[in-house]
Amino acid sequence: MKAKETYLSRDFRETAAQRFSAQAKQLNAAFDMRLNTLLAENAGASKEKQYHLKRQILPGIAAYETLQRVMPKEEALQTVHGYVERLARTSHKQLAALLHIPGLYRLVPGVFVKSTRSVFGPAAGFAPKELQTGNGVWRVDMMKCPYHDTCAEYGCPKLCCCFCDSDDISYTGLHPKLIWERSMTLGHGNDRCDFCMKVR
């Protein structure tokens, strides 16, 4: 099972080439080996969960672990955080641009309801508790999350915060009439993530 390139693996290779050119070859090999091991260990996961594992979770773990060979743990964490943050900033720009279309912002909470049910549902290892889904409000408590569970399982629970923080970067201030709120996340040590996107 050959790992597909993801934004995380691309950014990792860029860091290796730019900052550790003498060891870049070994670092890339170590990253690939670790990622392939992680993919093999999680090969039995559902198709829905694989989507998250392959795209973000496992490449994130592989990058974080491999970077620790050449930098302190905290710096490795911040480096991976930077990769995730960069993608989130790009996604924020694209979404905000799209929402210049008059009236489109009203549809956003409904889109969140649909995507929670299709991409962030129990089949993928999430446990969303819908509190309000309608009338321009999407309010969901996430009681369980594979990002949190997998990072904890591989001994890097702090890594999950990279993914938590990216939500805030992606969705805060998208449109003057949209409010994004979240005061706690599983990754930051709370017992749930309290998501809310609503039309003002």
Side-chain angles (χ1 to χ4, degrees):
M1 188 151 80
K2 183 81 180 78
K4 275 203 197 92
E5 279 289 349
T6 60
Y7 75 95
L8 285 156
S9 56
R10 276 195 304 270
D11 285 1
F12 169 82
R13 294 186 205 290
E14 200 176 291
T15 301
Q18 286 175 358
R19 291 185 52 194
F20 307 100
S21 53
Q23 299 132 286
K25 207 173 156 184
Q26 292 96 310
L27 287 171
N28 281 321
F31 171 83
D32 291 334
M33 210 165 112
R34 184 60 181 137
L35 182 54
N36 286 323
T37 302
L38 289 167
L39 287 164
E41 287 172 2
N42 290 276
S46 66
K47 183 173 100 272
E48 294 82 358
K49 189 175 177 180
Q50 292 282 0
Y51 170 78
H52 299 277
L53 288 169
K54 288 178 178 172
R55 197 168 140 261
Q56 297 207 100
I57 305 171
L58 301 180
I61 293 172
Y64 177 51
E65 289 183 359
T66 309
L67 286 167
Q68 287 177 51
R69 295 173 172 224
V70 286
M71 59 175 73
K73 200 170 182 173
E74 188 50 43
E75 193 187 338
L77 182 63
Q78 288 315 314
T79 305
V80 177
H81 198 290
Y83 303 159
V84 184
E85 200 172 308
R86 192 156 46 179
L87 181 79
R89 290 195 192 287
T90 305
S91 127
H92 182 277
K93 266 197 205 102
Q94 291 167 340
L95 282 167
L98 192 63
L99 293 176
H100 284 311
I101 299 170
L104 196 64
Y105 72 89
R106 288 195 194 96
L107 303 178
V108 172
V111 171
F112 274 56
V113 173
K114 281 202 181 79
S115 84
T116 307
R117 289 173 184 169
S118 60
V119 185
F120 301 94
F126 293 88
K129 194 160 117 193
E130 294 188 358
L131 304 177
Q132 199 179 345
T133 52
N135 299 332
V137 180
W138 168 77
R139 194 185 290 278
V140 165
D141 277 357
M142 196 60 78
M143 310 307 291
K144 186 172 163 25
C145 160
Y147 288 80
H148 171 256
D149 294 346
T150 311
C151 289
E153 188 187 324
Y154 282 101
C156 51
K158 279 187 171 166
L159 187 66
C160 182
C161 301
C162 300
F163 303 113
C164 299
D165 296 351
S166 76
D167 292 337
D168 290 328
I169 296 164
S170 299
Y171 306 127
T172 303
L174 277 179
H175 187 279
K177 294 205 165 138
L178 278 177
I179 300 167
W180 163 259
E181 291 170 346
R182 192 182 54 184
S183 68
M184 48 185 170
T185 78
L186 290 159
H188 283 283
N190 305 105
D191 67 346
R192 71 193 62 196
C193 310
D194 58 342
F195 290 106
C196 177
M197 175 67 93
K198 59 185 178 187
V199 174
R200 196 191 295 276

